[in-house]
Amino acid sequence: MVDAHGQRSKVQRIPRLIAAMFLLACCIAQATAPGSLGERARALRALLGPASESVAEDRAGFLRRQLLASLERRIDMERAIQDVANLGKHPPAARAPAPTGLLAIDDQRREVQRLEAELTGGERRRAILLLERAQVAKQLADSAAHQRALVDQRAPSADIELASLESELTESATAEIDLMVRLVDVQQDLARRERDALARKLVESSAKDVVVTERDAATIDARLRARGAELRRRMASAAASRERLRAELLAAPSDAPPLRIETMKERIANADIDLELGREGLLNLATEQLAWQVALRFYRDKDPQSIVEARENGPMLAERLQRRREFLQQLSEQVLARSGTLTTELTQAPNAPDAADRRALRDVFDQRLHMIERAAFDERQLEQLVARIRTDFDARVGIATWPERLRLGWATVRAAGSQLWNFELFTVQQSIEVDGRKTQVPRGVTIGKVIKAPLLLLLGLWLAVKATALGERWLHRRRGVDEGRARLMRRWALALLVAAAVLASLILAGIPLAAFAFIGGAVAIGIGFGMQALFKNLISGVLVLVERPFRLGDVIEVGTLRGTVVDIDLRTSVVRDADGADTLIPNSVLMEENVKNVTFRSRVHRQMLDVVVDGASDPRAVSDAMRDAAARHGQLADDPEPVVLLEAFADNGLRFVLHYWIELTPGTDRRRIASDLRLMILGAFEDAGIRMAPPPPRLG
């Protein structure tokens, strides 16, 4: 029974569906008949009275008014379709000449971008309309079937009339969607024609040189200045509004409604957001100015470096703008959700006690949404400008001549070298003081800085060596400073200049001293232990320079060492003994121990030579012979003269001592002088018949 009844129900539905489809076809045919829309609209307008917002009181009147609006929209769309179709026969872009100026080309590229976006949006809209039409067509079939069922059931005329109006309204909505699809199609066709025509003009322009006039540059500058002034004015207004709103919030009574307090806080937040968006707008304005400068350098100055900069900075800038737009989109969705929640609450309780505060809060969110949408629009405009410049650059590079390609290649190589030169190896935190507060600032150490610092250091060392050498010669030759003191002064000056050169090379290369902080502990330990003696000797060297207890060429005695000072360094002094061996003595030893300076006051030094002659010799003859031998030597000092003294009566004869003076200058050998003098005395004794004393007797 159930199956048979189900089969009978299906069989009974078939004529109704066929009738509904037939009615749908008739309605669509009637709707497309010439003049039917206008006549039906006039008939409905005659039946309708004044407009009313009521739905429950007069359902038929409400449906007629909705139907009238739908019919009028269809009439308007048919006219719009005809107008767009007529315009598409002769697109305005086809009649425009190919642009040659920079701004004219950019305007056409911006128009192409707009048409591309319009075509993309049109395709999406058409797909949505087709889906919507399928749903409305199903509703129309259901409405027609319902109307037919009411007629078959001989329902009241009022119900049949309402069903008829609903079917007609659904049919009109279906026809309206069809007209929308047709309008989108003709608009898409017109936009496609406009885009293709502009694209052809731009292709023609790309084969020519872009003309950059003074008017173009002035217009760009004027636009940027005007936008900058507007942004600064808006930021000033937002700052003033924030101060006023904050004062109102502080002055609000404690028993104020929470929604009112929240509204005041959100208004302050709006002012803050407006300030932040203004700062972002100024940053975008500076970016746009930089983009136009790159374009002017390329078109006007034929600078290939501009293409390299566009290729390097374009993707990063586009990525930053995209991230910013995504953030603004998320923020817009959040604000829209808050505003939608308030709208829902007002719809559910329009007469609530706090309805006015809710409306005010919703207005605040709507104002914030408007600010965000305006900022997102500016971000899109800048992103499109950057994309247009890069696209035009790439197109012109594709048709560039070989010399232009060579210049571009060289610019690319230079840019790659610059990028490698500025490659950051690591980053250090440098502490700087700003307004009495210390702030950590990151400083990068690049390959260029690492290479530049040694080169600058080598140059500084070379200049320091040359300058100190000239200073040493000037002090010694022109100012009469002795050689040792001049040399020591040179070495101290060289040490200071080396330290200054190291610091200057690091500063000029941009390497912060904090980069060497990791070795600070080791240096401190070295200074505390290993370098203590070094500093002690360096200070002693300064005292040697100031007090001058000895000079170069002086003969000094330190302990058992006797020799000539041949060098005075920062840390040590060099003493050369009679054997020609050099001994390095720390300056601290020379300042702490007893040092005998044989030539401190005078370089003429007394020497002694004793001989023992036979006791039977004439003392005066011996004295004269020794004095005559000393006079003939030639290397003895004349003042004072050599003196011969009878020193003692020895066991084996008479002991005579010759006192003579020699000048202890560098190169003077005291032992050789004494040896030559002995030989001369022996010769004088032989001539005078004086015999040397026999050896003393041995005891035991």
Side-chain angles (χ1 to χ4, degrees):
M1 293 294 293
V2 175
D3 294 339
H5 180 71
Q7 292 294 333
R8 285 196 298 270
S9 299
K10 292 180 180 179
V11 171
Q12 291 175 359
R13 285 197 193 103
I14 292 175
R16 293 182 182 179
L17 291 175
I18 295 174
M21 296 301 295
F22 177 75
L23 179 60
L24 174 60
C26 293
C27 291
I28 295 176
Q30 181 182 0
T32 57
S36 60
L37 293 179
E39 294 174 359
R40 180 57 175 157
R42 285 191 295 270
L44 287 174
R45 194 177 293 109
L47 291 175
L48 292 174
S52 175
E53 297 180 359
S54 176
V55 177
E57 294 180 358
D58 188 4
R59 176 67 175 171
F62 173 77
L63 293 175
R64 290 189 184 95
R65 194 170 299 280
Q66 296 299 317
L67 179 59
L68 175 61
S70 178
L71 293 175
E72 290 177 346
R73 287 196 298 270
R74 290 166 61 185
I75 294 172
D76 294 339
M77 278 191 289
E78 286 183 349
R79 293 174 180 171
I81 291 171
Q82 187 62 35
D83 293 340
V84 175
N86 294 332
L87 188 62
K89 297 178 182 178
H90 303 285
R95 300 189 297 268
T100 57
L102 175 60
L103 286 180
I105 292 177
D106 183 69
D107 291 341
Q108 284 204 4
R109 288 195 175 276
R110 185 170 62 249
E111 184 66 16
V112 170
Q113 285 182 338
R114 185 191 67 79
L115 291 173
E116 291 284 354
E118 184 177 335
L119 288 171
T120 304
E123 292 295 333
R124 295 176 182 173
R125 185 183 180 191
R126 191 177 190 279
I128 294 173
L129 287 174
L130 292 177
L131 293 176
E132 186 178 354
R133 189 194 185 284
Q135 296 177 358
V136 176
K138 184 177 181 300
Q139 293 177 4
L140 178 58
D142 294 340
S143 299
H146 177 63
Q147 180 184 357
R148 183 64 181 174
L150 290 177
V151 172
D152 293 343
Q153 296 172 4
R154 297 182 180 181
S157 58
D159 294 342
I160 295 175
E161 183 181 4
L162 286 176
S164 176
L165 287 173
E166 289 178 354
S167 298
E168 188 177 1
L169 179 59
T170 307
E171 175 276 325
S172 181
T174 306
E176 188 177 347
I177 293 175
D178 291 337
L179 289 175
M180 288 182 184
V181 173
R182 286 179 55 196
L183 181 59
V184 169
D185 289 339
V186 295
Q187 287 176 344
Q188 290 285 94
D189 183 68
L190 177 61
R192 197 173 292 108
R193 290 171 180 267
E194 290 279 339
R195 181 200 61 184
D196 295 340
L198 291 176
R200 287 192 297 270
K201 300 297 181 183
L202 289 174
V203 171
E204 295 177 10
S205 300
S206 62
K208 305 176 183 178
D209 291 336
V210 178
V211 179
V212 182
T213 63
E214 294 295 334
R215 182 178 180 181
D216 290 339
T219 303
I220 293 172
D221 185 66
R223 289 180 183 177
L224 296 176
R225 287 179 182 273
R227 288 180 55 193
E230 175 62 23
L231 286 172
R232 286 186 287 270
R233 184 199 62 77
R234 194 179 77 187
M235 292 178 64
S237 176
S241 177
R242 188 188 190 284
E243 293 181 2
R244 176 178 55 80
L245 292 172
R246 189 171 182 275
E248 292 179 0
L249 178 62
L250 295 176
S254 58
D255 57 347
L259 274 178
R260 191 170 302 172
I261 298 298
E262 183 181 359
T263 301
M264 299 175 71
K265 291 181 180 179
E266 293 297 338
R267 285 175 178 170
I268 296 176
N270 274 8
D272 293 336
I273 292 175
D274 202 8
L275 283 172
E276 181 182 354
L277 294 178
R279 286 191 290 267
E280 183 69 20
L282 289 177
L283 178 60
N284 290 341
L285 187 64
T287 304
E288 182 178 354
Q289 184 177 8
L290 181 61
W292 280 116
Q293 289 177 356
V294 171
L296 290 175
R297 285 168 50 197
F298 175 71
Y299 294 119
R300 182 179 59 190
D301 304 332
K302 309 300 181 183
D303 185 7
Q305 187 66 28
S306 58
I307 298 181
V308 178
E309 294 179 5
R311 289 177 175 176
E312 291 181 354
N313 302 327
M316 294 185 295
L317 180 58
E319 184 180 358
R320 183 183 72 82
L321 293 174
Q322 184 178 1
R323 290 198 305 266
R324 182 67 180 176
R325 282 199 300 107
E326 291 175 355
F327 167 74
L328 292 176
Q329 181 64 28
Q330 295 176 357
L331 185 60
S332 175
E333 293 176 356
Q334 295 174 3
V335 175
L336 189 60
R338 294 287 302 274
S339 178
T341 302
L342 291 172
T343 301
T344 303
E345 294 174 354
L346 288 171
T347 303
Q348 294 174 352
N351 298 322
D354 58 352
D357 292 334
R358 292 183 185 277
R359 291 190 185 91
L361 184 58
R362 185 185 61 181
D363 294 340
V364 172
F365 286 124
D366 291 343
Q367 181 185 5
R368 184 180 302 176
L369 185 62
H370 174 70
M371 292 189 300
I372 295 172
E373 290 177 350
R374 181 175 57 184
F377 174 77
D378 292 339
E379 298 282 348
R380 285 194 299 271
Q381 292 293 106
L382 178 57
E383 187 175 2
Q384 291 174 0
L385 173 64
V386 174
R388 291 196 302 271
I389 293 176
R390 290 185 60 199
T391 302
D392 193 36
F393 280 6
D394 293 338
R396 294 186 179 276
V397 168
I399 61 174
T401 60
W402 280 108
E404 293 175 346
R405 291 176 183 269
L406 290 176
R407 289 197 298 270
L408 177 60
W410 173 242
T412 304
V413 171
R414 288 172 52 195
S418 177
Q419 187 175 4
L420 179 62
W421 181 266
N422 296 320
F423 180 76
E424 188 174 280
L425 298 175
F426 57 91
T427 304
V428 295
Q429 297 291 332
Q430 186 176 10
S431 179
I432 62 173
E433 187 172 348
V434 179
D435 296 334
R437 294 180 300 178
K438 290 187 176 180
T439 305
Q440 295 292 330
V441 178
R443 295 288 298 275
V445 178
T446 62
I447 293 179
K449 293 179 180 179
V450 173
I451 296 176
K452 191 189 300 182
L455 294 179
L456 293 175
L457 179 59
L458 290 176
L459 178 61
L461 294 179
W462 182 79
L463 293 176
V465 170
K466 292 296 182 181
T468 53
L470 292 175
E472 180 185 5
R473 287 196 294 269
W474 180 78
L475 288 174
H476 180 61
R477 297 177 181 178
R478 299 291 182 87
R479 306 297 296 179
V481 179
D482 62 90
E483 184 180 358
R485 189 177 184 186
R487 184 184 303 173
L488 186 59
M489 293 174 65
R490 174 199 174 186
R491 290 175 177 174
W492 271 104
L494 181 61
L496 295 177
L497 289 177
V498 167
V502 172
L503 295 177
S505 63
L506 293 177
I507 294 174
L508 293 176
I511 299 179
L513 296 179
F516 304 96
F518 65 94
I519 62 173
V523 172
I525 295 175
I527 292 176
F529 294 95
M531 300 183 69
Q532 183 177 3
L534 174 62
F535 285 142
K536 182 178 180 181
N537 290 323
L538 290 176
I539 295 174
S540 299
V542 175
L543 295 177
V544 169
L545 175 65
V546 175
E547 295 181 1
R548 301 180 67 189
F550 51 84
R551 295 170 295 181
L552 289 179
D554 284 356
V555 178
I556 62 174
E557 292 182 2
V558 182
T560 59
L561 177 65
R562 177 188 176 100
T564 305
V565 179
V566 295
D567 195 7
I568 302 175
D569 206 344
L570 296 177
R571 188 179 64 87
T572 60
S573 296
V574 181
V575 177
R576 182 171 296 166
D577 58 14
D579 298 331
D582 293 339
T583 304
L584 279 70
I585 303 176
N587 289 329
S588 59
V589 174
L590 297 177
M591 296 301 298
E592 293 174 355
E593 295 186 3
N594 295 327
V595 178
K596 180 179 181 182
N597 192 343
V598 179
T599 58
F600 182 71
R601 298 296 180 184
S602 174
R603 291 187 177 274
V604 178
H605 191 262
R606 188 186 67 172
Q607 304 291 318
M608 293 185 300
L609 190 152
D610 58 339
V611 294
V612 179
V613 298
D614 188 86
S617 301
D618 183 4
R620 293 187 178 279
V622 174
S623 177
D624 292 339
M626 294 178 65
R627 190 180 302 109
D628 292 340
R632 294 195 309 270
H633 189 278
Q635 290 185 340
L636 306 184
D638 296 332
D639 186 18
E641 295 180 351
V643 176
V644 179
L645 300 177
L646 178 59
E647 186 73 15
F649 297 103
D651 295 339
N652 57 340
L654 302 176
R655 181 183 300 276
F656 287 86
V657 177
L658 172 63
H659 295 270
Y660 61 94
W661 284 261
I662 61 175
E663 185 176 2
L664 298 178
T665 59
T668 301
D669 190 350
R670 297 181 295 110
R671 293 183 299 177
R672 179 172 293 277
I673 293 175
S675 175
D676 294 340
L677 190 57
R678 288 189 181 95
L679 292 175
M680 295 176 67
I681 291 175
L682 287 176
F685 283 174
E686 185 177 357
D687 294 338
I690 300 173
R691 292 181 302 171
M692 300 295 294
R698 295 182 178 180
L699 298 178

